[in-house]
Amino acid sequence: MGYGSECHLLRYLGRHRKLLEKRILETTGTEIASWLDYPFDRSRTWLDGELKGLEFLPPGDDPIHDVWKEMWPQRGNPPNWDAVAQIKANGLTEWLLVEAKANTQELRSSCQASPSGGLPLIRATLSRTKVALGVAADRDWLNGYYQYCNRLAVLEFLNRHNVPARLLFVYFTGDKGDAARICPADAAAWNSELFRQNAHVGLAANHPLADRIHPLFLSVSGES
């Protein structure tokens, strides 16, 4: 059996989709309308690419693409989404951006952008996001939990520009992994790690996007 968040998310999407969508409904109160297909990429091990940045939005004359270019570097490695879906919430269409984790090491990351490249723009956008979410300016969003923080920046940007979106963080439990990875056995073990993340990031429980960020704990074996 394979291991890792990518493997288990693809298993659920391909072989256990009804259960996945049931759990998403229970967690978010929204229904899946459709999942987006991903591009092929012959340079990758599984021959599949990822949707990056705002690539999931329809192309064309929508000015949000131009605004985003002023907010985030267009070179380097933009936020990558493990899955993207259109959902129905109270009869309206929204976006669901999915991040999956199967071990605690996947929570940790730091910004690798160059001071002479994209770092100043990233820092400015993260600072703007902290203000919007009521986070203290001295919280370090570039180191420790950078990936989580840049996802928050995308979420805040989309909703501020009238593109309703939500983040779904899927935390797999019971992954076997290998000796180098710590794989939580249950939600309680994940929550202790997520407490550290939240303490570092500095988000209040009632921040403005609290109802648009959803944790979902899924067993790799399908156990409830």
Side-chain angles (χ1 to χ4, degrees):
M1 182 174 116
Y3 62 87
S5 56
E6 183 177 18
C7 170
H8 295 307
L9 183 60
L10 290 176
R11 287 180 53 235
Y12 266 88
L13 285 168
R15 296 177 174 175
H16 313 289
R17 185 171 296 190
K18 288 183 179 179
L19 175 58
L20 175 62
E21 294 184 354
K22 176 178 179 289
R23 294 295 309 281
I24 290 175
L25 174 61
E26 294 170 348
T27 301
T28 69
T30 68
E31 295 185 353
I32 300 295
S34 62
W35 293 95
L36 270 61
D37 285 342
Y38 272 43
F40 289 101
D41 184 345
R42 289 185 293 177
S43 69
R44 294 170 61 93
T45 302
W46 285 12
L47 305 180
D48 294 317
E50 292 183 310
L51 292 175
K52 303 177 180 181
L54 302 189
E55 290 177 347
F56 58 90
L57 294 178
D61 298 328
D62 192 329
I64 193 171
H65 291 286
D66 293 329
V67 179
W68 177 245
K69 291 177 183 178
E70 299 174 359
M71 301 290 292
W72 204 264
Q74 299 305 294
R75 301 180 66 180
N77 187 30
N80 290 240
W81 308 110
D82 292 329
V84 178
Q86 284 192 303
I87 56 177
K88 291 293 184 179
N90 299 317
L92 302 176
T93 299
E94 299 185 1
W95 292 100
L96 186 70
L97 308 176
V98 181
E99 285 286 335
K101 309 295 179 191
N103 61 72
T104 60
Q105 285 86 343
E106 289 184 289
L107 296 177
R108 307 281 298 188
S109 62
S110 295
C111 181
Q112 302 299 315
S114 168
S116 60
L119 182 59
L121 183 56
I122 292 172
R123 180 184 285 117
T125 295
L126 294 183
S127 295
R128 192 175 294 114
T129 305
K130 284 190 278 188
V131 171
L133 299 184
V135 174
D138 62 355
R139 296 291 180 150
D140 187 357
W141 279 23
L142 291 169
N143 299 288
Y145 297 96
Y146 169 66
Q147 186 190 80
Y148 179 75
C149 294
N150 68 40
R151 271 49 170 180
L152 294 179
V154 176
L155 183 68
E156 192 280 328
F157 172 84
L158 289 170
N159 285 284
R160 176 160 46 87
H161 287 84
N162 300 313
V163 180
R166 298 169 186 254
L167 283 173
L168 177 70
F169 290 96
V170 178
Y171 300 108
F172 286 106
T173 61
D175 189 26
K176 299 304 181 183
D178 57 33
R181 294 172 173 83
I182 299 172
C183 302
D186 52 31
W190 267 118
N191 279 326
S192 65
E193 295 294 330
L194 297 177
F195 178 83
R196 295 186 182 92
Q197 172 184 272
N198 294 338
H200 178 94
V201 173
L203 275 179
N206 61 343
H207 66 85
L209 293 176
D211 63 344
R212 293 191 163 272
I213 301 175
H214 309 279
L216 171 58
F217 302 97
L218 280 180
S219 168
V220 300
S221 63
E223 298 173 353
S224 57

